[in-house]
Amino acid sequence: MVLCGINKCYIVHSDAYPVYEDLIRKYMANYFLQNGFSLTISKTGYSYDMGCFSVEPRIGNFDYIGLDNDVTKTVF
């Protein structure tokens, strides 16, 4: 599972996970902001364990939060 949201999840083959992860990291937050969505992307784990991204209401001024940025953050 690469991405989850309200009542939805997006599952990809493990070989494709790095491609989707890269696209999410590079483009998703900017896309939200440009289209007027006030959201934060969070990550449930580290990249190597293929933790899932999720989208939630804006948290402070963060486009992205998760263990990859700060290991003291709680796993969601």
Side-chain angles (χ1 to χ4, degrees), residues 44-62:
T44 60
Y46 296 100
S47 295
Y48 64 80
D49 67 8
M50 296 187 181
C52 179
F53 289 94
S54 64
V55 179
E56 56 192 276
R58 190 84 175 167
I59 299 172
N61 199 26
F62 293 101

Side-chain angles (χ1 to χ4, degrees), residues 18-38:
V19 173
Y20 285 94
E21 179 185 31
D22 187 53
L23 292 170
I24 290 168
R25 288 182 186 275
K26 285 182 180 175
Y27 303 111
M28 196 170 202
N30 192 40
Y31 177 83
F32 288 151
L33 292 173
Q34 287 181 351
N35 289 284
F37 297 102
S38 184

